[in-house]
């Protein structure tokens, strides 16, 4: 197909604009990454004249000199894993039930769930409930209140609906029990949906800070995001990171390096891993969304 | 969401169909009940499967809904929800007449509506631009970059904002080069909304474009080819072929976004708050948090939250009806 001249110009401009947009997204990330190895503002002052002697891992060394960030890391792994397990199991089981044709009471149950998408008690009543259940300062406060996700249940249900009924019928004729059918036929076929839900749940929990902030007063229990908040937002440098007395300007310089380093430590694992899962993420957006 | 609503309707229709035979003579009442009981007995496993979800929903969603009655009471932790005195709408009128009310309410409304109006078109434009890239590999690589910020936590994004905009940070270094003085972004209430919205677009626009890119993949290429033969320019083809495909998606997403206008996220606003920018950054959710969980004024904070939720529902219904009018009767509900 031949394009007119003006169309070709437009397409070229479009390509250039997309490159610029990509740079706008990429450059801040690159800046953070490089700054974590450099004295503050070296990058700006020297630009492309950087030499190897400018680089140091001082920020990282001091960040890890104190155990807080590692403990936060392990707490986050624990919370994210536990949360993912509970929410995926609950959503898959509920989604399977709701995908059955002719389920008695299906409409009532659906309404029962969907209402909670539009109405909730709000922050304070939920907090009071968690407190009354004695869950403050426990893992359960992070795992249970949000484990129920109507969105996940709908995603799971949509997926199960697409599994042909003939498979189940054939197994039933062979005399398999309902439970065996679910275990031997349905579950092996649901790996993709389990994977998508697990990814969403894990990353969501990994990046969340709010629930931990209100439910976990004990600093020992703080997940990575709360440790980051104290470093990045509240400007608290842990005593273990700064060993010796130093001048104010020096302290300012070091704490800035520590900040950049902490961003890299917290974000790099996900940013490196996500391209491998990209197609699953896209699937998740598509399934159960608008057709 | 739309699916769920549609399926509910379908189920309703099926339900009606199932009911029809009952109207025939010779039907014995009570038979249906037995049939249902039989079904439940036979498929008890299904009900066992859904039990955890139902139990969790009752505990963590419905009990707090009941707990919200403390908005109409003078709640004291000693006496519990049941034992506390009823005070009617006292907390609501207290909030509506408080000197802070107008400021906080307008902050919430402004922040989220500006975010919606500025943030909503950008993913659509991005998707249309991406759709023009013919080389699959190039397209995929650009998408990879554009999605990346979505995976960064809100704490890190806020931390980056503070670092980049600090008096000695990169942005101010550039400003100082040009003007000679630095500008304290984070302590200026006038700058708060722009910072909040721009950082939000930087983080979310790429990710939000996924759904539009997917919708555009369904456009029949033959349509474009035919239009080319007729001599339609690229812009005309986008306008007449691509955009109509996106219209239903846009309508639903817009209703959902506008319906959430008062349910704006607490998280980033709270992190970006400094003692100086409070006049612009105090919004209803942050106010509820501070009043309720930091000051312990549970009843008043719950009332403020409830007021917010009610406004939200009205908005959702209102926006839905407006979009329906504009969109030939196609809305969410």
């Amino acid at each position: 197909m031949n394009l007119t001249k003006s169309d070709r110009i437009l397409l070229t401009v479009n390509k250039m604009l997309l490159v610029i947009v990509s740079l706008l997204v990429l450059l801040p990330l690159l800046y953070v990454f490089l700054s974590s190895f450099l004295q503050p503002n070296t990058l700006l002052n020297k630009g492309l004249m950087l030499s190897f002697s400018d680089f140091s891992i001082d920020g990282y060394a001091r960040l890890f000199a104190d155990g807080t960030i590692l403990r936060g890391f392990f707490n986050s792994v624990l919370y994210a894993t536990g949360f993912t397990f509970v929410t995926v199991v609950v959503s898959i089981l509920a989604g399977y039930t709701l995908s059955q044709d002719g389920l008695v009471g299906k409409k009532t149950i659906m309404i029962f769930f969907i209402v909670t998408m539009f109405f909730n008690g709000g922050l304070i009543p939920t907090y009071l409930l968690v407190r009354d259940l004695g869950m403050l300062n426990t893992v359960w406060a992070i795992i249970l209140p949000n484990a129920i996700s109507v969105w996940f249940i709908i995603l799971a249900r949509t997926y199960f609906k697409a599994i042909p009924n003939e498979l189940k019928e054939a197994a039933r004729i062979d005399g398999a029990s309902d439970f065996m059918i679910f275990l031997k036929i349905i579950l092996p076929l649901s790996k993709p949906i389990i994977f998508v839900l697990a990814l969403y749940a894990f990353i969501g929990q990994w990046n969340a800070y709010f629930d931990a902030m209100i439910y976990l007063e004990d600093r020992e229990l703080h997940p990575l995001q709360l440790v980051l908040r104290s470093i990045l937002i509240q400007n608290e440098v842990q005593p273990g990171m700064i060993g010796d007395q130093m001048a104010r300007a020096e302290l300012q310089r070091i704490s800035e390096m520590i900040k950049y380093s902490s961003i890299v430590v917290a974000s790099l694992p996900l940013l490196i891993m996500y391209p491998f899962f990209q197609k699953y993420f896209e699937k998740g957006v598509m399934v159960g969304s608008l057709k | 969401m739309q699916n769920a609503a549609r399926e509910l309707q379908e189920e309703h229709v099926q339900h009606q169909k199932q009911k029809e035979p009952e109207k025939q003579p010779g039907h014995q009442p009570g038979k249906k009940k037995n049939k249902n009981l039989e079904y439940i007995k036979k498929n008890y496993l299904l009900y066992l499967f859904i039990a955890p979800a139902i139990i969790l929903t009752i505990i963590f969603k419905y009990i707090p809904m009941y707990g919200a009655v403390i908005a109409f009471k003078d709640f004291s932790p000693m006496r519990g929800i049941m034992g506390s005195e009823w005070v009617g709408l006292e907390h609501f009128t207290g909030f509506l007449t408080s000197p802070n009310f107008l400021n906080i309410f307008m902050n919430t409304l402004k922040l989220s509506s500006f975010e919606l109006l500025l943030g909503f078109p950008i993913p659509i434009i991005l998707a249309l631009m991406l759709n023009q890239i013919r080389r699959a590999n190039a397209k995929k690589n650009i998408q990879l970059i554009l999605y990346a910020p979505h995976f960064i936590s809100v704490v890190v994004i806020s931390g980056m904002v503070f670092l980049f905009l600090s008096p000695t940070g990169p942005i101010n270094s550039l400003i100082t080069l040009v003007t000679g003085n630095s500008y304290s972004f984070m302590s200026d209430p006038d700058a708060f909304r722009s910072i909040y919205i721009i950082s939000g677009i930087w983080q979310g626009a790429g990710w939000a474009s996924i759904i539009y890119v997917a919708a555009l993949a369904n456009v029949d290429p033959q349509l474009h080819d035919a239009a080319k033969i007729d001599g339609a320019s690229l812009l005309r083809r986008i306008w007449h072929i691509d955009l109509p495909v996106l219209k239903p998606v846009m309508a639903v997403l817009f209703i959902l976004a506008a319906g959430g206008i008062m349910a704006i996220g607490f998280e980033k606003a709270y992190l970006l708050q400094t003692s100086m920018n409070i006049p612009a950054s105090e919004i209803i959710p942050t106010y509820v948090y501070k009043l309720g969980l930091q000051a312990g004024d549970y009843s008043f904070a719950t009332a403020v939250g409830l007021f917010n939720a009610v406004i939200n529902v009205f908005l959702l219904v209102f926006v839905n009806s407006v979009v329906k009018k504009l969109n030939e009767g196609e809305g969410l509900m």
Side-chain angles (χ1 to χ4, degrees):
Chain A
M1 271 299 156
N2 282 330
L3 291 163
T4 59
K5 197 171 167 191
S6 61
D7 282 0
R8 245 178 274 141
I9 292 169
L10 207 60
L11 283 174
T12 315
V13 170
N14 178 47
K15 275 178 198 153
M16 275 167 27
L17 276 177
L18 276 174
V19 170
I20 291 169
V21 170
S22 306
L23 284 177
L24 279 178
V25 169
L26 210 51
L27 284 177
L29 296 174
L30 212 57
Y31 182 88
V32 169
F33 182 71
L34 286 174
S35 294
S36 68
F37 297 101
L38 297 166
Q39 304 287 357
N41 288 349
T42 320
L43 198 56
L44 282 171
N45 301 336
K46 290 202 168 181
L48 295 171
M49 308 293 290
L50 282 175
S51 63
F52 277 112
S53 61
D54 293 321
F55 283 78
S56 80
I57 52 162
D58 201 18
Y60 290 93
R62 288 178 183 271
L63 184 67
F64 285 110
D66 182 271
T68 321
I69 193 118
L70 271 177
R71 198 177 55 215
F73 206 92
F74 285 119
N75 283 339
S76 281
V77 171
L78 173 73
Y79 301 153
T81 312
F83 174 78
T84 302
F85 179 78
V86 174
T87 198
V88 169
V89 168
V90 168
S91 310
I92 290 282
L93 291 178
Y96 178 70
T97 295
L98 288 169
S99 72
Q100 301 301 304
D101 292 329
L103 180 82
V104 170
K106 179 147 78 172
K107 199 179 162 190
T108 316
I109 298 172
M110 274 314 283
I111 290 172
F112 168 86
F113 283 129
I114 286 173
V115 162
T116 65
M117 284 178 104
F118 295 100
F119 300 100
N120 59 42
L123 172 66
I124 310 293
T126 310
Y127 172 83
L128 292 175
L129 171 75
V130 171
R131 193 182 69 178
D132 293 346
L133 291 171
M135 289 181 179
L136 287 191
N137 274 327
T138 66
V139 180
W140 302 113
I142 307 295
I143 291 180
L144 289 180
N146 286 325
I148 191 79
S149 156
V150 181
W151 182 238
F152 276 19
I153 292 174
I154 290 174
L155 282 178
R157 187 186 72 145
T158 311
Y159 183 87
F160 286 127
K161 265 188 186 284
I163 295 179
N165 266 331
E166 289 80 9
L167 281 173
K168 279 180 278 188
E169 295 310 319
R172 203 160 271 142
I173 290 164
D174 290 344
S177 70
D178 281 348
F179 188 67
M180 285 316 274
I181 291 174
F182 181 76
L183 211 61
K184 297 272 188 234
I185 294 174
I186 306 293
L187 268 188
L189 285 173
S190 353
K191 276 185 197 136
I193 187 73
I194 290 175
F195 194 63
V196 167
L197 294 183
L199 268 181
Y200 271 87
F202 192 92
I203 287 177
Q205 190 57 51
W206 183 265
N207 283 339
Y209 83 95
F210 183 63
D211 281 6
M213 182 175 83
I214 60 175
Y215 295 133
L216 307 175
E217 272 187 33
D218 186 353
R219 281 184 162 246
E220 297 277 313
L221 299 172
H222 278 188
L224 183 63
Q225 298 301 332
L226 277 188
V227 177
L228 283 175
R229 175 172 162 254
S230 71
I231 296 173
L232 290 171
I233 312 283
Q234 296 166 318
N235 282 315
E236 295 171 10
V237 177
Q238 301 294 334
M241 297 177 187
I242 310 290
D244 33 11
Q245 290 292 327
M246 49 177 95
R248 229 191 116 106
E250 179 76 358
L251 188 71
Q252 164 96 19
R253 197 179 59 74
I254 289 291
S255 66
E256 197 153 309
M257 280 185 88
I258 292 176
K259 281 182 182 178
Y260 280 115
S261 310
S262 69
I263 291 181
V264 174
V265 168
S267 312
L268 205 59
L270 277 190
L271 287 180
I272 286 178
M273 274 166 16
Y274 113 82
F276 297 104
F277 302 136
Q278 192 190 355
K279 65 170 197 276
Y280 288 98
F281 282 116
E282 289 177 10
K283 227 181 247 170
V285 173
M286 303 308 15
V287 180
S289 70
L290 329 137
K291 289 219 172 78
Chain B
M1 256 336 295
Q2 200 192 19
N3 264 350
R6 191 188 305 137
E7 281 184 18
L8 272 180
Q9 275 174 356
E10 278 170 18
E11 271 154 33
H12 185 72
V13 171
Q14 280 177 3
H15 219 70
Q16 295 294 340
K17 278 184 191 156
Q18 282 170 3
K19 275 185 188 164
E20 271 163 25
E22 293 173 30
K23 289 174 193 159
Q24 290 164 2
H27 168 72
Q28 300 144 342
K31 203 170 174 180
K32 187 160 187 278
K33 221 176 193 163
N34 281 343
K35 245 180 152 166
N36 285 351
L37 274 177
E38 245 169 69
Y39 178 90
I40 293 173
K41 256 190 205 146
K42 199 169 139 233
N43 296 293
Y44 70 94
L45 192 73
L46 291 177
Y47 293 91
L48 214 59
F49 273 3
I50 204 166
I54 289 180
I55 292 166
L56 277 175
T57 304
I58 289 173
I59 295 176
F60 291 107
K61 303 284 184 214
Y62 281 90
I63 291 180
M65 277 188 216
Y66 161 73
V69 300
I70 63 170
F72 306 95
K73 292 184 164 210
D74 197 0
F75 177 70
S76 81
M78 304 299 296
R79 301 169 67 180
I81 296 176
M82 299 289 279
S84 299
E85 291 290 314
W86 287 99
V87 294
L89 295 174
E90 193 183 289
H91 298 300
F92 290 87
T93 49
F95 175 55
L96 291 175
T97 53
S98 80
N100 297 335
F101 168 72
L102 202 61
N103 174 257
I104 292 171
F105 182 73
M106 288 318 285
N107 278 348
T108 313
L109 202 60
K110 277 183 198 162
L111 190 60
S112 45
S113 46
F114 291 170
E115 185 181 39
L116 175 67
L117 294 176
L118 293 167
F120 190 77
I122 292 179
I124 300 166
I125 296 166
L126 271 181
L128 290 170
M129 284 167 74
L130 280 166
N131 195 43
Q132 296 305 325
I133 304 288
R134 285 284 159 257
R135 294 222 314 278
N137 248 347
K139 186 171 163 185
K140 208 179 161 216
N141 288 335
I142 295 174
Q143 281 172 307
L144 210 58
I145 293 170
L146 295 185
Y147 298 164
H150 174 79
F151 296 93
I152 296 171
S153 75
V154 65
V155 174
V156 167
I157 294 275
S158 308
M160 281 168 68
V161 166
F162 273 104
L163 279 168
F164 284 2
L165 300 179
S166 84
T168 56
I171 304 283
N172 261 319
S173 304
L174 297 174
I175 291 177
T176 316
L177 269 181
V178 180
T179 64
N181 352 322
S182 66
Y183 174 63
S184 48
F185 287 94
M186 297 315 290
S187 49
D188 183 358
D190 296 338
F192 173 81
R193 266 190 284 275
S194 311
I195 293 167
Y196 184 98
I197 290 166
I198 291 170
S199 60
I201 289 172
W202 181 82
Q203 175 167 29
W207 185 254
S209 69
I210 289 184
I211 201 155
Y212 296 113
V213 171
L216 285 171
N218 294 333
V219 176
D220 187 355
Q222 285 179 345
L223 283 175
H224 276 286
D225 291 343
K228 270 186 212 165
I229 291 167
D230 290 344
S233 71
L234 181 60
L235 283 178
R236 281 194 65 137
R237 283 188 282 120
I238 288 175
W239 184 256
H240 290 289
I241 299 172
D242 289 348
L243 270 179
V245 171
L246 295 184
K247 216 170 124 182
V249 185
M250 285 194 304
V252 172
L253 288 183
F254 189 81
I255 296 168
L256 285 177
I261 222 158
M262 292 302 280
I264 184 161
F266 159 101
E267 306 205 340
K268 204 166 76 174
Y270 182 69
L271 290 171
L272 291 178
Q273 268 186 359
T274 61
S275 53
M276 310 283 283
N277 66 20
I278 288 281
S281 64
E282 190 77 300
I283 53 176
I284 291 179
T286 57
Y287 188 63
V288 169
Y289 169 73
K290 287 176 190 172
L291 270 183
L293 297 187
Q294 289 182 341
D297 198 347
Y298 295 130
S299 278
F300 190 81
T302 306
V304 175
L306 209 56
F307 164 82
N308 200 18
V310 169
I311 298 268
N312 217 350
V313 170
F314 274 116
L315 264 173
L316 187 70
V317 173
F318 170 72
V319 173
N320 185 50
S321 63
V322 170
V323 173
K324 244 185 179 160
K325 281 215 169 60
L326 296 174
N327 203 19
E328 296 110 39
E330 283 291 316
L332 193 60
M333 292 169 247

